[in-house]
């Protein structure tokens, strides 16, 4: 968090506590922290006093605080697609019987905003609130393919290209080639690129002006289907993505153009 000062360091501590996904003791945090003992303790005390963390004196553990929960809820309802997309995800889940994901980009990574489990659930990495790679997931590639040139260059340069399976794309050239294909046909696939046995199709959620807002996917298991079967859902997934995009644009993400004042400033 170079350059972000005290606030950046405090956010690092919040991230660290949240990453445990359970009550965590000071010794565990210290073991995994870059901060000295006194500095970490000071941040924990301040964050607890501000309600961003909660401390259980009996168990001597820290958890995310109620103030952080309230802020997270406000961000979820005001900034994410989840409330708008909910009825569309419900309908798509009932229709397909498969796992449905809603995702947005967060610092060039995939943030799973919402999820509906399959009628016959399968074990997989994705959960609402989790962050995953963009270069080897259907939703990640669907979103990257429709970024503007500057945002795409930034997102591609920030991918890790770690090989999760034998099918993972592990270079910028391979990713860009796949993104060109996705752009031309309008949807992305994950052919066991992130997790063995997990396949998916994904479509971007766009405004009428082409601005990328997020993506949705239908995910299945190779144990009970193949890609040909899964791809029969592409027209339906594309239609749902269009519906979410139209609804989001009308209520929360309107298309905007620079004001006359902005035009003048850019011209000078």
């Amino acid at each position: 968090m170079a350059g972000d000062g005290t606030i950046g360091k405090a956010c690092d501590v919040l991230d660290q506590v949240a990453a445990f996904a359970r009550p965590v003791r000071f010794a565990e945090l210290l073991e995994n922290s870059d901060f000295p003992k006194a500095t970490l303790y000071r941040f924990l005390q301040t964050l607890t006093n501000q309600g961003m963390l909660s401390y259980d004196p009996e168990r001597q553990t820290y958890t995310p605080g109620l103030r952080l929960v309230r802020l997270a809820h406000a961000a979820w309802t005001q900034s994410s697609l989840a409330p708008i997309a909910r009825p569309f995800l419900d309908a798509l889940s009932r229709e397909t019987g498969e796992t449905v994901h809603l995702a947005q980009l967060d610092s060039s990574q995939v943030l799973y905003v919402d999820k509906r489990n399959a009628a016959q659930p399968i074990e997989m990495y994705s959960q609402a609130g989790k962050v995953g790679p963009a270069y080897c997931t259907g939703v990640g590639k669907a979103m990257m393919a429709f970024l503007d040139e500057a945002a795409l260059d930034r997102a591609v340069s920030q991918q890790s290209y770690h090989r999760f399976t034998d099918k993972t794309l592990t270079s910028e050239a391979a990713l860009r080639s796949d993104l060109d294909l996705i752009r031309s046909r309008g949807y992305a696939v994950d052919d066991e690129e992130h997790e063995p046995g997990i396949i998916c199709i994904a479509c971007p959620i766009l405004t009428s002006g082409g601005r990328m807002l997020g993506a949705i996917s239908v995910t299945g298991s190779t144990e009970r289907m193949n890609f040909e079967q899964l791809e029969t859902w592409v027209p339906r997934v594309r239609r749902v993505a269009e519906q979410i995009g139209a609804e989001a644009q009308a209520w929360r993400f309107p298309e905007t153009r620079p004001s006359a004042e902005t035009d003048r400033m850019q011209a000078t």
Side-chain angles (χ1 to χ4, degrees):
M1 285 285 181
D4 289 342
T6 302
I7 293 176
K9 294 174 182 177
C11 287
D12 283 348
V13 175
L14 286 174
D15 284 341
Q16 188 184 1
V17 173
F20 275 85
R22 60 170 174 79
V24 57
R25 298 173 68 91
F26 178 81
E28 295 176 287
L29 293 169
L30 183 61
E31 184 178 351
N32 295 278
S33 177
D34 294 330
F35 300 126
K37 181 176 181 180
T39 302
L40 176 63
Y41 182 76
R42 185 172 68 252
F43 276 124
L44 290 170
Q45 288 292 101
T46 300
L47 290 167
T48 299
N49 292 339
Q50 293 297 318
M52 305 298 280
L53 292 177
S54 177
Y55 179 69
D56 184 335
E58 291 186 8
R59 295 181 175 84
Q60 297 184 337
T61 55
Y62 295 90
T63 55
L66 290 179
R67 184 176 181 183
L68 189 61
V69 172
R70 288 196 298 270
L71 290 172
H73 178 71
W76 187 81
T77 56
Q78 296 177 39
S79 302
S80 84
L81 290 169
I84 292 171
R86 184 186 297 118
F88 300 103
L89 299 184
D90 290 341
L92 185 61
S93 177
R94 288 193 299 268
E95 189 174 350
T96 63
E98 300 298 335
T99 301
V100 174
H101 293 109
L102 172 70
Q104 292 180 267
L105 277 182
D106 180 17
S107 300
S108 299
Q109 294 182 307
V110 169
L111 172 63
Y112 291 99
V113 177
D114 210 347
K115 178 181 180 180
R116 298 293 180 276
N117 284 318
Q120 299 177 5
I122 52 178
E123 187 69 26
M124 66 180 74
Y125 170 85
S126 60
Q127 296 293 336
K130 265 194 172 183
V131 173
Y135 66 97
C136 59
T137 55
V139 285
K141 292 188 294 180
M143 290 187 285
M144 282 198 293
F146 290 87
L147 291 172
D148 63 53
E149 186 175 351
L152 174 60
D153 288 344
R154 184 167 57 252
V156 168
S157 70
Q158 292 177 348
Q159 301 308 306
S160 65
Y161 300 107
H162 170 76
R163 184 182 293 278
F164 290 96
T165 75
D166 290 341
K167 296 184 176 183
T168 304
L169 302 178
T170 55
S171 71
E172 179 176 328
L175 175 60
R176 285 189 179 273
S177 177
D178 199 22
L179 294 179
D180 287 341
L181 176 61
I182 293 165
R183 206 173 294 114
S184 67
R185 69 185 178 189
Y187 70 95
V189 303
D190 173 357
D191 183 12
E192 300 184 79
E193 296 165 43
H194 187 211
E195 298 178 85
I198 302 298
I199 56 177
C200 91
I201 53 170
C203 291
I205 299 171
L206 308 172
T207 65
S208 61
R211 181 158 55 105
M212 195 281 296
L213 302 178
I216 58 171
S217 68
V218 172
T219 302
S221 166
T222 56
E223 291 183 358
R224 60 173 188 257
M225 69 169 58
N226 56 40
F227 248 116
E228 287 72 23
Q229 293 170 302
L230 189 61
E231 285 185 309
T232 62
W233 289 110
V234 167
R236 181 68 180 120
V237 176
R238 180 182 286 123
R239 177 59 182 152
V240 171
E242 291 171 351
Q243 291 173 322
I244 296 172
E247 191 80 3
Q249 182 174 327
W251 293 100
R252 189 161 298 162
F253 300 94
E255 291 291 356
T256 57
R257 68 174 303 278
S259 65
E261 179 63 26
T262 302
D263 287 341
R264 286 194 297 271
M265 292 175 64
Q266 292 178 341
T268 58

